[in-house]
Amino acid sequence: MNDISKVGMTAEDLNEPVTIPVEAYVSEDYVRLERDKLWRKTWLQACRLEEIPEVGNFITYDILDDSILIVRQGEDKIGAFYNVCSHRGRRLVDTPPGAKNAKGDKTHFVCGFHGWTYDLQGKCTYILEKEDWQGKLTEDRTRLGPVQVDTWGGWVWINLDREAGPLREYLEPAASMLDPFELQNMRPRWRKWIIFDCNWKVAMEAFAEIYHVEHTHPEFMDFGDFRGWGRAHGLHSNIGYDAPKGLDENQAKLRLGSGGDPRLKTAEMQIYTWEQVNTNTTRTLVDAALRLKDELPEGTPAPEVLKHWLDSARRDDEARGVFWPKVDPAHTAASGTSWQVFPNFQIGHAVNNMLCYSARPYGYDPNKCYFEVSVYELYPTGEEPEAPWEYTEKDDPKWGSVLPQDFSNMAAVQQGMKNGGFRGTLPNPYRERSIANLHRNLARFVGAGAPNPVK
């Protein structure tokens, strides 16, 4: 494997063609390096704040051998601890069979083995026959191991490295680019997870570029050209669409349909997206798009169609108590369609909805992962739906018709990478730069699998 001292590639180097060795996708040794040098060293998105709204609410987050207990300790205070009793190492909270994680409400946590008890601050408050330890059981030795925890964007983030720097510093520039969209105000419309037959990086990469749309999702080509770009920003990256002159905002998530009358094509694309994917739009946007043909004359220039559509949908939402943030169009264009937050979280953002992907290793098998998809939007206060995480098999019709097309690629790519004739991934330097940037940064942490210039 590569020595980290030899990993010297910069973000600028990714403008040129590179190849990525397959070890990052298929090597069990690489998975173990990730445990120690990646998952235990980076900030990880663990849950939404609204999942633990009341004091005593808790939720767990598991990554390989580590299980973390996240607890609402006060109105404005979140704590995180290793989910393991300091006595004999038994987990304090077990994940129910078939569940994504454990969650609930407690005033204290009791170990099911010998009854050692811990309060919401992680302090051990009861030890059976404590005197037998002859005064050696200090508060510091018996309390739960603390984990760094912080919040941003409505999510709770954790870091297992006690020496890690601040979350905000870690997230830049993604945080500053996404702050205007006020993601913390959105709530889930649906959330699904699956155990999938591919490496976690294959899963994330399937959605980190727009290069695949023409051949994986050809039906979308009826709504225009989906050529896209990828840009590296240190640890993170973002992607977006190329846009014609005068339509810079069409680089972002809420874009016009083209290739014909923009009034009609936008309506067609919105209906298809709503019915076949149920992501990247809302019922308000769909209804406003359907009215375009009646509210605007034929021949209306595309920029005017885009403005009318979004202004009309904004007014409709405000009438029902939903208020979009106001984001400068130039900022919207520069933000693109989504951000790939290193190492394993993607936020596909818009002013009134977002689509998020996340993936984690499934044990030490490099050929499997946990894969999660969640869709959010703005709701009137008090009308947010219940949207628990739902385990959904890849052939379940609840996924619609589009995401299964991606799933087919993910499994096939994982299998193909093990073929003796495959010589390494060759990401498009313009359109798939986010993939090369992921591996450039992985190599910095893990010390292996660095992209190499194509010779």
Side-chain angles (χ1 to χ4, degrees), residues 91-93 106 108-118 126:
R91 282 193 177 188
L92 288 174
V93 179
K106 290 183 181 292
H108 54 273
F109 297 91
V110 181
C111 178
F113 199 177
H114 298 90
W116 285 33
T117 303
Y118 303 84
Y126 173 76

Side-chain angles (χ1 to χ4, degrees), residues 168-239:
R168 181 74 194 201
E169 180 180 299
Y170 178 89
L171 290 175
E172 292 296 357
S176 290
M177 288 299 295
L178 291 171
D179 278 343
F181 294 90
E182 299 179 1
L183 307 181
Q184 68 274 9
N185 294 332
M186 298 186 190
R187 295 293 180 268
R189 185 165 78 223
W190 59 261
R191 298 187 290 183
K192 298 181 175 69
W193 69 285
I194 187 173
I195 298 170
F196 209 81
D197 293 325
C198 69
N199 189 274
W200 70 269
K201 293 174 286 295
V202 170
M204 295 306 299
E205 291 166 10
F207 303 94
E209 43 88 0
I210 306 169
Y211 187 43
H212 71 284
V213 172
E214 182 175 353
H215 291 283
T216 298
H217 312 299
E219 60 275 19
F220 275 102
M221 301 312 292
D222 290 340
F223 310 129
D225 181 9
F226 281 76
R227 179 174 168 82
W229 46 260
R231 297 168 183 161
H233 303 276
L235 282 176
H236 318 298
S237 61
N238 72 331
I239 61 175

Side-chain angles (χ1 to χ4, degrees), residues 187-189 319-322 377-386:
R187 295 293 180 268
R189 185 165 78 223
R320 67 187 188 98
V322 171
E377 66 174 277
L378 295 171
Y379 291 96
T381 301
E383 296 183 20
E384 302 88 350
E386 291 291 329

Side-chain angles (χ1 to χ4, degrees), residues 40 44 47 56 74-76 146 154 160 169-171 204 219 223-224 231 294 300 307 314 339 374 378 404 416:
R40 289 176 171 174
L44 304 172
C47 69
E75 183 178 353
D76 298 309
L160 308 188
E169 180 180 299
Y170 178 89
L171 290 175
M204 295 306 299
E219 60 275 19
F223 310 129
R231 297 168 183 161
D294 300 320
T300 300
K307 184 177 187 306
R314 184 189 291 269
W339 279 81
S374 51
L378 295 171

Side-chain angles (χ1 to χ4, degrees), residues 6 9 72 95 104 107 218 394 410 455:
K6 299 177 182 178
M9 182 167 284
R72 172 75 71 168
T95 300
T107 57
K394 62 180 182 299
M410 290 152 60
K455 300 190 191 254

